[in-house]
């Protein structure tokens, strides 16, 4: 039989299996009176909003179901899988912040403070280099265009003053307080995997911000869980103080039965030395924005999930 025809038949078979599995899950929820399941209920336990532009193979990804099954087998009770906002605007802004973080981090801190106090942002930038000023103003302009900032102005020489007022809405607050880093991590992972020839929905997929109960009954939220071929990876993002979370995350990684090399804690501002020390003490791989990509690539190669270069 022609190899191309055989590949196509295999692909169709996988699609039919995925459809069958999805229909089975729908039937279970419809027949479970205790769940009071409704397709109009935004808090539906298993609800994952599907973008109209997502390919069928991705939309009914069996890997998403396998992530859920993995959690349930390890006695985690899922309470909510929220709809994911993957708008192009949010992805692009997250990418920009991640790649220019050293230049724009002071501005992000000012926005965080403003969101907490309600007072406007005022940054005097006379002593900053022109490159840093340029990157900050570009970010501010983009956030203003996206309605994340109610107003924004930059006064050039002799003031060198930037003023802005962030919109105090949940979407803005969540994004500034760490949502951008989660988006950036997902973007980097997908970029790395795609560059290695892996396909989303077939070789890898993920779920974000999974709210659940631990085996001991405590509430918890996982930032990002990836299924890459036959391995589960956990990624936590931290843009601020991380010390209070390290021990708790270490314990959860044990409950998840995920090896330390597959459990990542990405912290925006941590030195390589401190990150290495924490990784040694706890059951996680701790890294910063600079070391994250190399660390993940090394793990993928070690586990033979991608071809060696």
């Amino acid at each position: 039989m022609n190899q191309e025809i055989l590949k196509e038949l295999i692909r169709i078979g996988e699609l039919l299996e995925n459809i069958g599995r999805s229909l089975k899950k729908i039937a279970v929820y419809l027949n479970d009176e205790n769940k009071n399941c409704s397709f109009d209920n935004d808090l539906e336990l298993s609800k994952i909003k599907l973008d109209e532009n997502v390919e069928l193979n991705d939309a009914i990804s069996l890997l998403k179901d396998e992530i859920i099954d993995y959690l349930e087998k390890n006695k985690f009770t899922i309470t909510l899988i929220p709809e994911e906002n993957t708008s192009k605007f949010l992805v692009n802004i997250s990418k920009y912040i991640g790649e220019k973080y050293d230049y724009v981090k002071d501005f992000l801190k000012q926005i965080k403070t403003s969101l907490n106090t309600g007072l406007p942002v005022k940054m005097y930038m006379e002593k900053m280099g022109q490159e840093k000023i340029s990157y900050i103003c570009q970010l501010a302009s983009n956030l203003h265009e996206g309605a994340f900032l109610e107003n924004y102005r930059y006064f050039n020489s002799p003031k060198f003053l930037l003023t802005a007022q962030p919109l105090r809405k949940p979407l803005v607050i969540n994004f500034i307080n760490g949502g951008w880093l989660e988006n950036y991590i997902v973007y980097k992972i997908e970029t790395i995997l795609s560059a290695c020839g892996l396909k989303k929905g077939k070789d890898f997929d993920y779920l974000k911000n999974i709210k659940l109960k631990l085996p001991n009954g405590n509430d918890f939220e996982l930032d990002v869980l990836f299924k890459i071929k036959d391995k589960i990876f956990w990624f936590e993002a931290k843009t601020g103080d991380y010390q209070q979370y390290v021990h708790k995350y270490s314990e959860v990684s044990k409950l998840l039965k995920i090896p330390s090399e597959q459990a990542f804690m990405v912290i925006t501002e941590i030195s390589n030395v401190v990150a290495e020390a924490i990784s040694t003490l706890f059951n996680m791989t701790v890294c910063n924005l600079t070391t994250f990509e190399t660390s993940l690539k090394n793990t993928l190669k070690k586990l033979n999930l991608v071809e060696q270069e």
Side-chain angles (χ1 to χ4, degrees):
M1 181 180 292
N2 184 285
Q3 288 296 320
E4 291 301 319
I5 295 177
L6 180 59
K7 289 180 180 179
E8 186 64 19
L9 289 174
I10 292 174
R11 188 184 72 83
I12 292 172
E14 292 174 347
L15 283 174
L16 291 174
E17 288 181 4
N18 291 346
I19 291 172
R21 179 133 181 191
S22 296
L23 291 174
K24 182 178 179 181
K25 280 185 173 289
I26 290 172
V28 169
Y29 286 119
L30 286 175
N31 290 328
D32 190 344
E33 295 181 355
N34 294 326
K35 293 184 182 295
N36 294 318
C37 184
S38 169
F39 287 105
D40 294 324
N41 183 357
D42 287 339
L43 297 182
E44 182 184 341
L45 177 64
S46 64
K47 184 170 184 180
I48 301 173
K49 186 177 182 180
L50 303 179
D51 192 307
E52 293 178 356
N53 296 321
V54 176
E55 294 181 0
L56 178 63
N57 189 42
D58 177 43
I60 58 174
S61 172
L62 182 61
L63 296 181
K64 291 183 186 291
D65 286 339
E66 290 178 352
I67 294 172
I68 295 172
D69 290 343
Y70 182 88
L71 290 171
E72 293 175 345
K73 287 177 181 177
N74 285 288
K75 304 189 184 305
F76 288 78
T77 303
I78 298 171
T79 57
L80 177 65
I81 299 175
E83 297 178 2
E84 184 183 358
N85 190 335
T86 55
S87 71
K88 188 174 181 180
F89 169 78
L90 291 180
V91 173
N92 287 340
I93 290 291
S94 301
K95 177 183 175 183
Y96 185 88
I97 295 174
E99 293 179 346
K100 309 298 182 186
Y101 183 74
D102 286 341
Y103 295 100
V104 303
K105 61 184 179 182
D106 292 335
F107 178 54
L108 289 177
K109 291 175 183 177
Q110 292 267 7
I111 296 178
K112 275 188 179 182
T113 300
S114 178
L115 288 171
N116 289 330
T117 64
L119 299 174
V121 172
K122 284 189 176 181
M123 286 188 71
Y124 292 93
M125 307 169 73
E126 182 178 2
K127 296 182 180 180
M128 297 181 185
Q130 186 55 49
E131 190 175 22
K132 184 172 182 177
I133 293 175
S134 177
Y135 287 135
I136 289 175
C137 288
Q138 182 62 57
L139 175 58
S141 177
N142 290 339
L143 289 173
H144 184 239
E145 290 178 5
F148 275 41
L149 300 180
E150 291 186 58
N151 57 67
Y152 153 67
R153 291 189 68 185
Y154 175 65
F155 302 90
N156 213 325
S157 178
K159 289 187 177 181
F160 295 101
L161 173 65
L162 182 152
T163 63
Q165 183 69 57
L167 198 66
R168 300 178 79 184
K169 296 293 183 180
L171 174 63
V172 178
I173 294 171
N174 292 337
F175 182 81
I176 296 298
N177 284 331
W180 71 265
L181 182 56
E182 293 174 10
N183 293 340
Y184 182 66
I185 288 172
V186 170
Y187 158 76
K188 290 295 292 183
I189 297 170
E190 289 190 312
T191 300
I192 292 169
L193 296 177
S194 296
C196 294
L198 275 63
K199 296 185 181 297
K200 185 178 180 182
K202 178 183 177 183
D203 301 308
F204 70 89
D205 216 327
Y206 69 91
L207 291 174
K208 282 179 61 179
N209 306 127
I210 311 169
K211 292 180 173 59
L212 43 73
K213 288 188 179 296
L214 302 177
N216 62 11
N218 291 339
D219 292 327
F220 194 75
E221 180 176 330
L222 298 167
D223 283 350
V224 187
L225 275 186
F226 259 81
K227 180 77 183 291
I228 305 175
K229 292 188 176 179
D230 64 335
K231 304 293 184 183
I232 294 288
F233 284 74
W234 175 30
F235 300 90
E236 285 293 321
K238 280 284 162 274
T239 60
D241 295 335
Y242 60 87
Q243 291 84 350
Q244 60 181 312
Y245 298 100
V246 175
H247 181 75
K248 184 176 183 179
Y249 288 170
S250 176
E251 293 302 313
V252 171
S253 70
K254 294 176 183 176
L255 295 174
L256 284 169
K257 298 179 181 178
I258 295 180
S260 60
E261 60 191 3
Q262 294 166 225
F264 285 77
M265 186 174 180
V266 185
I267 305 171
T268 51
E269 296 182 45
I270 188 171
S271 69
N272 294 343
V273 174
V274 174
E276 185 176 349
I278 296 176
S279 297
T280 302
L281 290 172
F282 297 93
N283 194 45
M284 296 191 78
T285 298
V286 180
C287 49
N288 52 44
L289 289 177
T290 303
T291 59
F292 170 62
E293 182 173 350
T294 299
S295 182
L296 177 58
K297 284 182 176 179
N298 288 340
T299 296
L300 293 172
K301 293 174 184 176
K302 180 180 178 181
L303 298 175
N304 295 316
L305 296 174
V306 298
E307 293 183 3
Q308 300 288 336
E309 296 179 353

